[in-house]
């Protein structure tokens, strides 16, 4: 069964670091975290290894991480967050309509406020139970203002990792996502290989 939700975030370039938060779905408690600077392929391997160790956890990768997503697909990770894209009916005869997947979660200017609002709501309601001391420190700084943002010299990597964890949890439970689409079930957007 799918007992855990694993999320990934932020690239290791510039001042950003790679960050991931691992939550156990049955009680929404954080069970592990990954944080540091690694090359994309090394980070993808870490996510692959940890995700498999946690019962093929749903891996929610930020969509702007194509190298991480590509490496995870190359490693044949079995449970990657994605959204179905229906083929254009005008281009393909109806009998050959296929579904493609857009892997990862896209945090855009439009989806960011809802993404962060859902994280804040789950934290305030004690729905998710983070145990990462770095998240508490970074989150207090990031979520303190009216408009969530990292302060001067501060980071947001861990905050977004927990936000991606929350999106994976919502997808697995059939909640509405930040882009407003209602999920029928998590199996409709999970990569199955093998």
């Amino acid at each position: 069964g799918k007992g855990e939700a694993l999320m990934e975030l932020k690239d290791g370039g510039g001042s950003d670091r790679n960050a991931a938060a691992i939550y156990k779905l049955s009680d929404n408690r954080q069970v592990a975290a990954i944080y540091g600077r690694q090359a994309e392929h090394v980070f993808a391997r870490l996510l692959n290894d940890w995700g498999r160790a946690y019962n093929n956890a749903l891996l929610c990768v930020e969509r702007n991480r194509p190298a991480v997503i590509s490496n995870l697909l190359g490693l044949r990770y079995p449970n990657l967050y994605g959204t179905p894209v229906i083929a254009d009916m005008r281009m393909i005869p109806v009998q050959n309509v296929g579904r493609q997947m857009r892997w990862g979660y896209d945090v855009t200017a439009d989806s960011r406020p809802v993404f962060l609002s859902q994280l804040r709501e789950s934290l305030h309601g004690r729905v998710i139970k983070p145990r990462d001391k770095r998240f508490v420190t970074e989150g207090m700084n990031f979520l303190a203002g009216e408009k969530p943002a990292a302060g001067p010299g501060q980071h947001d990597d861990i905050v977004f990792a927990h936000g991606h964890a929350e999106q994976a949890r919502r997808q697995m439970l059939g909640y509405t996502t930040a882009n407003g689409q209602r999920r029928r079930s998590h199996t409709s957007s999970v990569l199955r290989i093998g």
Side-chain angles (χ1 to χ4, degrees):
K2 309 262 174 301
E4 287 75 32
L6 169 66
M7 306 321 85
E8 178 281 331
L9 175 79
K10 292 290 187 188
D11 73 31
S15 64
D16 285 336
R17 290 160 178 84
N18 294 314
I22 305 167
Y23 281 81
K24 186 173 183 183
L25 187 61
S26 63
D27 63 4
N28 298 321
R29 186 170 311 281
Q30 184 182 3
V31 294
I34 302 170
Y35 186 68
R37 291 185 186 193
Q38 305 89 7
E40 300 283 281
H41 70 282
V42 173
F43 189 51
R45 183 158 304 277
L46 279 170
L47 294 172
N48 178 68
D49 294 347
W50 281 75
R52 289 178 191 272
Y54 279 96
N55 200 25
N56 291 329
L58 178 60
L59 198 63
C60 183
V61 179
E62 195 169 11
R63 194 168 283 159
N64 71 355
R65 304 289 306 271
V68 173
I69 292 170
S70 177
N71 276 282
L72 287 166
L73 291 169
L75 292 167
R76 300 177 59 84
Y77 189 78
N79 199 8
L80 190 58
Y81 183 106
T83 54
V85 177
I86 305 299
D88 187 343
M89 300 280 277
R90 294 168 295 182
M91 304 296 284
I92 301 172
V94 174
Q95 66 270 20
N96 293 329
V97 173
R99 273 192 0 184
Q100 296 178 329
M101 295 299 285
R102 288 194 51 166
W103 301 114
Y105 185 89
D106 202 11
V107 179
T108 64
D110 291 335
S111 67
R112 187 178 193 268
V114 176
F115 175 88
L116 293 172
S117 174
Q118 290 174 339
L119 173 61
R120 184 180 282 181
E121 175 186 305
S122 292
L123 289 167
H124 283 266
R126 300 193 195 298
V127 174
I128 60 172
K129 300 163 187 90
R131 297 172 65 191
D132 185 345
K133 290 179 183 171
R134 281 186 235 145
F135 172 66
V136 173
T137 304
E138 192 175 285
M140 286 176 61
N141 170 58
F142 186 85
L143 296 172
E146 189 172 314
K147 182 179 179 187
Q154 302 293 318
H155 298 281
D156 62 6
D157 312 304
I158 296 171
V159 170
F160 276 82
H162 287 266
H164 282 81
E166 173 60 7
Q167 292 306 311
R169 183 187 75 81
R170 287 172 176 264
Q171 184 183 49
M172 291 179 78
L173 297 176
Y175 291 149
T176 303
T177 63
N179 65 6
Q181 295 178 343
R182 174 111 176 121
R183 301 273 182 233
R184 292 189 191 149
S185 75
H186 74 277
T187 56
S188 66
S189 57
V190 170
L191 172 64
R192 297 281 180 217
I193 300 175

